[in-house]
Amino acid sequence: MRKFSFLFFLLIAQVTIAQQLRVLDKETRRPINNVNVFSESHDFNSHTNKEGIIDISSVKANEILIFSHISYALVSVKKSELEKRKYVLYLTKESEQLDEVVLSVFKTEAKTNRVAEQIAVISAKEIQQVSPQTSADLLANVPGIKVQKSQAGGGSPVLRGMESNRVLLVVDGVRMNNAIYRKGHLQNSITVTPNQLDRMEVVFGPSSVIYGSDALGGVIHYYTKTPRLSETVETNTSFFNRFSSVNNEITTNASVEISSKNWASFTSVSFSDFGDLKMGKRRSHGFSDWGKVFEYSENTDSFFSASPKTNTDPNIQRNTGYSQTDILQKFFVPLSKKTDLKLNFQYSSSSDIPRFDRLDERSGGTLKFAEWFYGPQKRLLISPQLNINPENNWMEKGTFTFAYQNIQESRVQRRFGSLDRSHREEAVDIFSLNADFTVPLTKNKRRNLTYGLEFSHNDVSSKSYGQTLNVFANQVVGVLGEFPVQSRYPDGGSSYMSAAVYAGYRQDLSDKSTLNTGVRFTRTNLKARWIDQTFITLPNTDIALDNSAFTATIGYVYKPNKNWQLNSVISSGFRSPNIDDVGRVREKSNILTIPNIHVDPEFAYNAEIGIQKYFNNRKFRVGFNTYYTLLEHYILRDVIRSGPNANLVINYDGAQYRASAGEVVTNQNKGTAYVFGYTASYQGKLSDKISTSGFVTYTKGRTYDTNEPLSSIPPLFGQFDLNYIDNKLELGASLRFNSKKDISDFNITEGIDNHDLTPVVNPNGTTATEIYYGSPSWMTIAFNSSYQFNENWKVQGMLNNIFDQHYREFASGVSAPGRNFSFSLITTF
């Protein structure tokens, strides 16, 4: 009898233990504390503990349990189904109800229904569906973003009429912007491959005090894939292979994830090879020869040709091919129940990248440059990140992110008719520390405080030299001699330091309204030294500039009912001039930019309103966001009108430039300007199998002081998508369009908009009398499809620009791809 009783109680105990449910994060496999769990009948109501465990033994087998947490999607599941899952439940941050969880605004989880800022979130699934060749192509699919390209190996995102060093790029919490991020067009966005991204978030406008300087137009935050823990040792491998016909692209990505209870690793290697890009043949814009490449330079490092070569197919843009390799290695180690360590290693390197728009530049009726290419663009990131969860009165959780980055880039050029090849090489070492903390001020977390600090130090090295080539029978066999070349940045070295502290406060004033506020103080220090005065003489060869500023934001979210949300934001931002603003020397379109050591910060004051209407239980959303940004002391590239430099004559790369003729310019502070715009969008499900999304973006920007258009203001553009999913089959169609931008809306002063690369209305006129048309309108249609054979094999096919339209994105120096078929094979084991 005693044995029977013992076995009976043992059995009861085992059943009870078996009904201890564990709730884990699907991405990290870490326990989730404070998940509210209640039955549909409301007979049961409890929450998980710090181990993510909850006892559900009292719940009946046919009862439905609902799992609710502010940072995760709502889940409903029968208890009997949990038994089949061995009492382990994984929660995800994705939701059918379009209430995405975003990380970028407060550097901690927050649902969009509590955030006032305009935000776009691109998930790993959406990235795979778009299947972009580069991250710049991925950004071009984000509502509200326009991407400019000077060559195929690049892509400069434009947010709210702001571009390059007015837009902040971040990867895994580390600022990518550095001391030589330039004004104009910036191509660094491609150094993070889309094949290694887990998600991407875009915060529009200068509203976030988390990031500070450079984020006038907004923040683009790349989140790379992170390994997950597992109760047992698991190894998962995946392979991605793609071919594209328009440039004979071949991309291969291999990834290995090793998971265990005590550590996890993720390794990914990606290689892409891009051939010369073919433009569209159908010219609905009416300009028969615009963009065609009739001749090109076939010069290389080792091959010499004294004259251009005729292009047998003018629709192929010669000198646009390149290759790129990206490596990602991450380790995830839980040091304790409250402390995690992530080790993040990233390396990206390209081949030489031809600067297509410069190689297509003409002077005196013939091509100007025999050689103009970027040397291998290299980016190294080493970043340990420590996540702590002390859960005390002054800090619930915090993140320390340390980082070292090494950036290398170079420029090589030589003109036709010359044997002199010039080299300019830059390297930047960046050391940074971010510390971000959050603490709830009330137990129900209706009042939350975030605070932190950021420190970044940039060391810039800039070298230059010239070589006179020794040529024999079309082969470069050596160097006859060397000659001095003006460096791009201060040749004695330069540094840029930024230090900041911030605090943010978020409060749910009621169930219907949320208040977000924040303030940030930033101080910057710039030092630079010039040694060689052969070409340019400066009044001061050693400079030190100190700037500081307070910026603030206040946002309000009001939800009158379940289906309406009203957002409003008032914010300020600033951008302190970096080494590129103060000390760059470069030539483009026969205009020479020289240093100006008297450039001051530019400021932005922003107001925006957003309205969102939800339908079908919040599964469909229509939104409208409008903003007005006032720029003060904005920086503009302009001619030298007065002072000792007004009569400068400078010899640069074998040519002479006169300031009196408007051929020499500097970056200068001006008065005030404004940018106004809106984005109207929709997203959601039409049925269980059909979803759709779309947007239209309008931007206008002008200066108040000179009444000129601002640079980087794109014309009206938009995109509409329709997708169908039925079990293993996915089908999709998209329409992209761009309206005309008249030449009168281009900023001619700076030349950033590349007005001289738009169609010529009077092609028989001289260069001096040419009349430019502006940017023609265009529209393209694309189809995509995929089929999941089983859990291990998936194929994907895409047909872009179906009607083979010829067009160029606004301000771009290279024509967009013509009709393109791409095929991808995705395998996982």
Side-chain angles (χ1 to χ4, degrees):
M1 183 65 182
R2 289 180 179 177
K3 289 182 179 179
F4 177 77
S5 300
F6 175 76
L7 290 173
F8 176 77
F9 285 113
L10 181 62
L11 179 62
I12 293 296
Q14 286 179 336
V15 172
T16 303
I17 292 172
Q19 294 182 351
Q20 299 285 314
L21 176 68
R22 294 194 69 198
V23 183
L24 306 176
D25 184 296
K26 186 176 181 180
E27 179 182 352
T28 66
R29 308 294 175 93
R30 298 284 281 172
I32 307 174
N33 184 23
N34 241 357
V35 179
N36 187 25
V37 184
F38 56 93
S39 62
E40 200 171 46
S41 63
H42 297 286
D43 293 334
F44 176 83
N45 193 333
S46 186
H47 62 271
T48 59
N49 61 20
K50 295 178 181 179
E51 309 294 328
I53 294 175
I54 184 173
D55 187 351
I56 60 170
S57 55
S58 62
V59 180
K60 296 178 181 178
N62 60 347
E63 274 275 22
I64 294 177
L65 289 173
I66 299 171
F67 297 80
S68 174
H69 191 282
I70 189 172
S71 298
Y72 296 86
L74 198 70
V75 172
S76 300
V77 61
K78 270 190 178 184
K79 181 184 175 181
S80 57
E81 177 63 26
L82 292 172
E83 184 178 358
K84 296 177 183 177
R85 302 182 188 181
K86 298 181 180 179
Y87 292 102
V88 177
L89 179 67
Y90 296 102
L91 296 187
T92 178
K93 291 176 180 175
E94 295 180 358
S95 172
E96 280 193 345
Q97 296 185 328
L98 301 178
D99 292 328
E100 298 104 330
V101 175
V102 296
L103 306 173
S104 295
V105 180
F106 305 108
K107 288 196 176 180
T108 186
E109 295 91 348
K111 283 193 174 181
T112 50
N113 61 11
R114 301 178 73 195
V115 175
E117 288 81 359
Q118 180 188 355
I119 300 169
V121 181
I122 311 298
S123 67
K125 183 178 179 181
E126 291 170 316
I127 294 172
Q128 187 180 98
Q129 183 182 21
V130 173
S131 192
Q133 291 192 355
T134 69
S135 290
D137 297 330
L138 173 63
L139 286 168
N141 285 272
V142 177
I145 294 184
K146 175 61 68 175
V147 174
Q148 180 275 349
K149 288 190 177 185
S150 299
Q151 68 275 340
S156 185
V158 181
L159 281 70
R160 293 189 172 181
M162 309 285 185
E163 188 180 1
S164 56
N165 54 19
R166 287 175 173 170
V167 173
L168 180 60
L169 301 180
V170 181
V171 58
D172 293 332
V174 178
R175 176 188 293 261
M176 294 177 66
N177 287 44
N178 59 57
I180 62 172
Y181 265 39
R182 61 186 176 271
K183 180 176 174 62
H185 308 304
L186 195 68
Q187 313 300 328
N188 300 65
S189 63
I190 68 169
T191 61
V192 180
T193 178
N195 297 316
Q196 294 170 350
L197 291 179
D198 181 63
R199 64 193 277 122
M200 182 177 69
E201 296 183 9
V202 181
V203 184
F204 291 86
S207 54
S208 179
V209 298
I210 301 293
Y211 299 101
S213 183
D214 299 339
L216 298 187
V219 180
I220 297 171
H221 201 146
Y222 298 115
Y223 292 91
T224 61
K225 295 178 180 179
T226 299
R228 300 171 296 175
L229 297 175
S230 176
E231 292 296 316
T232 59
V233 178
E234 296 180 4
T235 301
N236 297 298
T237 59
S238 63
F239 300 92
F240 174 85
N241 299 278
R242 181 180 58 224
F243 170 78
S244 298
S245 62
V246 75
N247 56 355
N248 292 320
E249 175 224 13
I250 296 178
T251 290
T252 300
N253 178 263
S255 301
V256 179
E257 181 183 37
I258 302 174
S259 305
S260 69
K261 188 175 183 179
N262 298 319
W263 67 278
S265 168
F266 180 79
T267 306
S268 179
V269 179
S270 182
F271 175 77
S272 295
D273 184 73
F274 307 99
D276 287 333
L277 182 65
K278 182 180 291 187
M279 68 183 79
K281 294 181 180 179
R282 186 178 180 188
R283 297 174 171 269
S284 302
H285 46 62
F287 299 98
S288 58
D289 289 338
W290 177 50
K292 285 185 177 180
V293 181
F294 294 101
E295 57 180 354
Y296 67 98
S297 172
E298 55 181 339
N299 286 270
T300 66
D301 270 344
S302 57
F303 181 78
F304 178 86
S305 177
S307 57
K309 183 177 181 179
T310 300
N311 189 4
T312 55
D313 186 350
N315 289 309
I316 295 179
Q317 298 173 96
R318 304 293 182 183
N319 294 315
T320 52
Y322 73 102
S323 63
Q324 181 170 319
T325 302
D326 296 272
I327 300 172
L328 171 65
Q329 174 62 63
K330 272 190 180 180
F331 294 101
F332 180 31
V333 182
L335 302 179
S336 68
K337 293 180 180 179
K338 295 186 177 182
T339 307
D340 296 330
L341 175 65
K342 292 180 183 177
L343 298 175
N344 190 349
F345 302 89
Q346 298 178 23
Y347 180 73
S348 176
S349 179
S350 71
S351 65
D352 291 340
I353 299 179
R355 178 70 187 263
F356 175 80
D357 61 339
R358 305 303 306 274
L359 288 169
D360 201 41
E361 188 176 333
R362 306 185 75 82
S363 178
T366 186
L367 293 182
K368 181 177 180 178
F369 290 103
E371 297 178 67
W372 210 123
F373 60 88
Y374 293 107
Q377 183 171 262
K378 298 180 180 180
R379 180 182 68 89
L380 170 68
L381 168 68
I382 302 173
S383 176
Q385 186 179 81
L386 190 68
N387 297 302
I388 59 174
N389 297 272
E391 297 178 344
N392 55 37
N393 292 332
W394 59 276
M395 185 197 307
E396 181 187 46
K397 57 184 178 180
T399 301
F400 296 91
T401 304
F402 306 87
Y404 166 73
Q405 297 180 80
N406 177 261
I407 311 298
Q408 297 181 34
E409 56 184 55
S410 60
R411 293 161 178 81
V412 179
Q413 60 193 72
R414 181 176 63 83
R415 297 177 182 236
F416 272 112
S418 173
L419 293 175
D420 291 343
R421 177 191 285 166
S422 62
H423 297 254
R424 293 175 175 87
E425 299 174 352
E426 285 75 50
V428 187
D429 290 304
I430 310 159
F431 304 88
S432 63
L433 166 66
N434 290 76
D436 307 290
F437 311 103
T438 62
V439 56
L441 302 179
T442 57
K443 290 185 177 179
N444 60 8
K445 298 189 177 183
R446 294 178 70 90
R447 297 169 55 217
N448 295 274
L449 176 68
T450 61
Y451 58 97
L453 59 88
E454 179 185 57
F455 174 81
S456 176
H457 180 81
N458 291 232
D459 280 320
V460 180
S461 169
S462 184
K463 300 177 182 179
S464 61
Y465 59 94
Q467 295 177 329
T468 302
L469 304 183
N470 185 10
V471 176
F472 179 77
N474 295 114
Q475 296 296 315
V476 178
V477 295
V479 176
L480 293 174
E482 296 191 353
F483 58 92
V485 169
Q486 172 65 49
S487 62
R488 183 175 175 87
Y489 299 114
D491 56 336
S494 54
S495 65
Y496 183 83
M497 184 276 295
S498 173
V501 292
Y502 74 88
Y505 175 75
R506 183 175 73 221
Q507 179 179 350
D508 291 328
L509 302 176
S510 67
D511 292 337
K512 294 184 177 181
S513 62
T514 301
L515 177 70
N516 302 305
T517 62
V519 63
R520 179 186 180 101
F521 175 75
T522 304
R523 181 177 181 180
T524 64
N525 174 266
L526 182 153
K527 294 180 181 179
R529 184 183 184 210
W530 284 267
I531 298 175
D532 188 354
Q533 300 282 296
T534 303
F535 302 97
I536 300 174
T537 301
L538 298 174
N540 298 305
T541 57
D542 286 270
I543 64 168
L545 303 177
D546 286 288
N547 294 300
S548 60
F550 279 98
T551 55
T553 183
I554 180 168
Y556 181 69
V557 179
Y558 178 62
K559 303 181 286 289
N561 56 48
K562 176 183 177 182
N563 296 320
W564 283 93
Q565 179 171 324
L566 308 176
N567 303 332
S568 60
V569 179
I570 298 175
S571 59
S572 63
F574 96 113
R575 190 183 72 82
S576 185
N578 61 18
I579 302 297
D580 186 89
D581 293 304
V582 172
R584 177 173 63 166
V585 180
R586 73 107 190 218
E587 179 275 335
K588 184 185 177 186
S589 301
N590 298 315
I591 301 295
L592 182 68
T593 302
I594 65 170
N596 179 10
I597 61 177
H598 302 294
V599 183
D600 294 322
E602 52 184 359
F603 293 83
Y605 305 95
N606 178 71
E608 60 184 275
I609 296 173
I611 302 173
Q612 297 185 68
K613 167 65 174 173
Y614 292 85
F615 303 89
N616 190 23
N617 192 29
R618 295 179 68 87
K619 294 180 181 179
F620 195 93
R621 175 179 65 206
V622 176
F624 180 83
N625 186 280
T626 185
Y627 64 91
Y628 173 88
T629 301
L630 176 69
L631 293 172
E632 188 176 59
H633 303 307
Y634 67 93
I635 298 173
L636 181 83
R637 191 183 305 147
D638 202 357
V639 298
I640 304 171
R641 302 181 188 278
S642 61
N645 291 332
N647 294 309
L648 272 179
V649 178
I650 300 174
N651 291 311
Y652 179 88
D653 282 0
Q656 194 174 78
Y657 300 87
R658 298 178 180 273
S660 59
E663 297 168 344
V664 180
V665 300
T666 62
N667 286 323
Q668 305 170 23
N669 288 103
K670 298 294 183 178
T672 57
Y674 74 90
V675 181
F676 162 79
Y678 62 80
T679 294
S681 62
Y682 66 88
Q683 178 186 6
K685 289 190 171 185
L686 300 177
S687 68
D688 290 339
K689 297 181 179 180
I690 300 175
S691 62
T692 184
S693 64
F695 73 90
V696 175
T697 294
Y698 170 81
T699 315
K700 180 180 181 180
R702 294 189 72 87
T703 63
Y704 280 120
D705 50 348
T706 62
N707 195 30
E708 287 181 285
L710 281 176
S711 299
S712 302
I713 304 296
L716 181 80
F717 67 98
Q719 180 171 328
F720 304 105
D721 298 294
L722 186 66
N723 295 289
Y724 172 83
I725 301 177
D726 184 10
N727 196 9
K728 298 180 179 182
L729 177 66
E730 295 185 22
L731 301 173
S734 66
L735 181 149
R736 297 179 64 212
F737 71 91
N738 203 111
S739 67
K740 177 190 175 184
K741 178 159 182 167
D742 193 79
I743 193 65
S744 62
D745 293 325
F746 279 66
N747 181 289
I748 308 299
T749 302
E750 286 193 291
I752 290 175
D753 290 345
N754 289 327
H755 65 279
D756 54 336
L757 299 182
T758 67
V760 177
V761 177
N762 59 332
N764 296 322
T766 65
T767 303
T769 61
E770 284 178 338
I771 300 175
Y772 295 101
Y773 176 81
S775 179
S777 62
W778 53 266
M779 181 182 71
T780 65
I781 297 175
F783 287 129
N784 66 81
S785 63
S786 67
Y787 188 80
Q788 185 87 43
F789 289 98
N790 52 45
E791 62 181 9
N792 302 120
W793 295 88
K794 182 178 182 178
V795 294
Q796 185 175 20
M798 303 187 71
L799 185 59
N800 297 308
N801 195 358
I802 293 174
F803 298 109
D804 204 25
Q805 292 283 354
H806 175 266
Y807 67 98
R808 276 191 179 183
E809 294 280 8
F810 164 68
S812 291
V814 61
S815 296
R819 184 186 295 116
N820 177 45
F821 171 73
S822 68
F823 175 81
S824 304
L825 176 64
I826 305 164
T827 57
T828 57
F829 300 96

